[in-house]
Structure formats: C-alpha cells, structure tokens
Amino acid sequence: MQTINVGEREIREAVTMDEAIESVRRGFVDLAGGEFEMPTRTALRDGQFLVMSAHHRSTASAMFKTLSLNFQRTPAIAGTVVWSETGRTEQLVADAGAVTTLRTGAVVGVATDLLAPSDAGRLTLIGAGAQAPDQVRAVHAVRPLRRLTVVDADTRRAQALLEALEPELPDVELSTASDAEAAVGSAEIVCCATNTTSPLFPASALPARVHVNAIGAYRPTMRELPDELLADSTVVIDELAAILEESGEILHALEAGALTKEALTELGTALTATDAAYGERTVFKSVGVAVQDWALARLLAEKFLP
C-alpha cells in the first residue's frame, strides 16, 4: 500500500474555493440521493476529539477523519483525513485542519448561494478564529462582497484577519467591530463562527431581509442563534441526524417549542427541490458532516494520487 501525504500548503495550492464549493454541492446532492453510508460522528471528551467517516457507494470510496480541537492552541484543529478506494493500492492522507476549514467554508458557500438574496454583498462575520478566513472566501465566491465587518472580542485579532484577507478583497470596504448586535443591523449576510454557549445577538437586531450561516456551535452545550430567529426563518440544516445529536441551538429551539422537526430542511433536499420558496430571513445551520470531508478528499485524490 502506497501512502501519499498532503500537507496544508499543498492543499491550499491545489484546491480553489470554487472547486471546493462545487464538490461539496455535488456531495450533498448525492447524500440526498442515498449514495452515502455515513454514521453520525463519534465525539469524545465533549467534542475535543472527533472521528468521522463516509462511504460513497457508487465509487466504492471512503473517507476517515480523526481530529482534535483545542481553541487555546495554534492551530486549533489538528488531525488527519484518510481517503481510500476499493481496488486501489494507493491511499491519501491529508492535513485535517486545512480540509476542515476549507470544507466548512465550502458548505457555507453552497448554502449562501442557495439562500442569500442574489444582490447581497454586505457580510458581517462574527468570530475571527481558524474558520473565519474560509467563511469570507466562500461567501465572496458566490456573492461578491462590497463590505465586510469582522466582529471579535479581540479587535487585534479581527484586524489581523482583515489585513490577511485584504489582498484577496481589493475592492471591499473592510472594518472591525466589537458589538455583534450593532454590527448585524445592516448586514445582508451574517456568518457565525464562534464557540459561544449563548446567542450572539437577538433576532430583533437583524434586518428583515437577511441570510445567516451558523457553523461554530457543534455540541449540544453550544449555541450561537436565538430561538426567535429560528422560529421566524426558513431553516436549512446539513443533516438531520447530526443536527439532532449535536446542534445546541436547534435542540434548544425544539425543546422551547419555537421550532419543529418538520420545519427543518436538509441541504441536499433543498438543492434538489424544483419548487422551493424561501422567506425574507433564511438560516443555514451546520455542525459539519463527513460528506463534506469526503468531497474535499475526493478532490485531493484526483489531484495527487497517480
């Protein structure tokens, strides 16, 4: 068995955000079509260690990811992604940190392209951590930005993020903020990428017409969005079983009676719907599922395996 190792720099050089978005989009369509065997991920030590896997039936390919999360260290995400195919003697082992941030950005790109107003160009990003750069890149890929506001309790971290992204956003108005409630008031798209345990803003702070992505909370104890927003929005999720296992905001809203399971639409289903109608406010909630990692690993396999 030959193993091909792919590091963060190689991943970044090989895969564009447009490619990642399209691959993740196809993956979710296949998920809706029953093409995947995908167990709910294993979470150890309250989510500090995660194990994920997915098998794509029609290609006889599989992805296995193990990673550790520690927001007090740099990098916060560390681990490996392994790609294998039946009948092939080569396997690919990739850096899980780069794959995770890229695939999380990509799914936000897919959801934003589906749900955000076609003319939306004002993004407020809450959280300037490891996931933040690819959140911006993904939204910009599908809704070219006119303005970007980064909210973080550490304004120096927010400013550092803007300085790093500035060469990629030459015509975008850039600013930082420390008050999330005020910063979302004029946004057309909001991305939440934090590890908070309580809502970041009240629903009343948002404009009537807005799309919100929430990807930071991935455990039942974590919660970025208020019940009132979920009750008053079209809510699209990555995958129902994973959401009911891990999404603190969805579980809280269900328990409070602000939301029903019937009101939740899986992303793959939404992508294949022919007569979908969405309200003025839309929410995409993701805890991250293995099909996203499979989609990125497949791209890498196509580029790096002989």
Side-chain angles (χ1 to χ4, degrees):
M1 173 72 73
Q2 181 184 9
T3 299
I4 307 298
N5 292 287
V6 184
E8 178 180 6
R9 180 176 177 180
E10 292 169 296
I11 293 169
R12 291 292 175 181
E13 291 176 348
V15 179
T16 69
M17 182 57 75
D18 285 339
E19 288 177 317
I21 289 171
E22 183 53 34
S23 187
V24 169
R25 190 195 319 271
R26 294 198 310 268
F28 273 94
V29 170
D30 280 0
L31 180 63
E35 285 289 320
F36 280 95
E37 180 182 1
M38 190 177 73
T40 301
R41 70 182 163 202
T42 299
L44 306 173
R45 198 176 172 86
D46 195 29
Q48 291 184 33
F49 300 97
L50 302 174
V51 180
M52 306 171 71
S53 60
H55 164 235
H56 189 245
R57 293 184 173 93
S58 61
T59 59
S61 60
M63 181 288 310
F64 305 90
K65 180 170 83 168
T66 60
L67 78 165
S68 65
L69 296 171
N70 184 338
F71 298 108
Q72 305 307 313
R73 74 181 182 204
T74 302
I77 304 169
T80 58
V81 171
V82 179
W83 168 272
S84 299
E85 295 176 59
T86 299
R88 189 166 192 164
T89 58
E90 304 88 8
Q91 68 173 1
L92 180 138
V93 178
D95 176 73
V99 169
T100 300
T101 56
L102 189 53
R103 61 80 143 157
T104 306
V107 78
V108 161
V110 174
T112 300
D113 195 29
L114 177 70
L115 299 170
S118 60
D119 60 347
R122 298 195 301 268
L123 169 64
T124 294
L125 168 68
I126 306 175
Q131 297 279 11
D134 284 322
Q135 295 293 296
V136 175
R137 294 179 182 119
V139 172
H140 187 53
V142 298
R143 294 293 186 273
L145 296 177
R146 301 186 301 277
R147 190 183 76 193
L148 168 63
T149 301
V150 177
V151 182
D152 197 279
D154 184 344
T155 54
R156 290 175 299 178
R157 187 166 77 155
Q159 187 59 45
L161 174 63
L162 289 183
E163 290 173 1
L165 289 173
E166 188 172 11
E168 302 174 45
L169 307 169
D171 300 317
V172 180
E173 177 188 341
L174 305 175
S175 63
T176 65
S178 56
D179 185 342
E181 183 173 346
V184 300
S186 59
E188 293 166 319
I189 302 169
V190 176
C191 285
C192 305
T194 74
N195 59 358
T196 185
T197 57
S198 58
L200 294 165
F201 48 81
S204 59
L206 292 164
R209 181 173 176 258
V210 66
H211 171 64
V212 179
N213 299 299
I215 60 92
Y218 65 97
R219 299 298 296 147
T221 53
M222 303 168 76
R223 187 171 165 231
E224 293 184 301
L225 305 180
D227 292 346
E228 295 77 14
L229 174 61
L230 296 169
D232 191 39
S233 303
T234 298
V235 181
V236 175
I237 58 174
D238 47 14
E239 198 257 343
L240 183 61
I243 286 290
L244 295 180
E245 181 80 16
E246 298 180 328
S247 172
E249 48 265 278
I250 298 295
L251 292 171
H252 192 280
L254 289 171
E255 184 177 348
L259 194 63
T260 65
K261 292 180 186 178
E262 292 71 27
L264 304 172
T265 302
E266 291 186 333
L267 180 58
T269 300
L271 289 168
T272 55
T274 57
D275 57 351
Y278 306 114
E280 290 285 280
R281 284 184 174 180
T282 55
V283 170
F284 174 60
K285 173 58 201 171
S286 174
V287 292
V289 291
V291 63
Q292 298 163 239
D293 301 290
W294 175 90
L296 262 293
R298 182 180 188 178
L299 277 178
L300 295 172
E302 290 172 352
K303 292 173 182 289
F304 288 99
L305 292 186

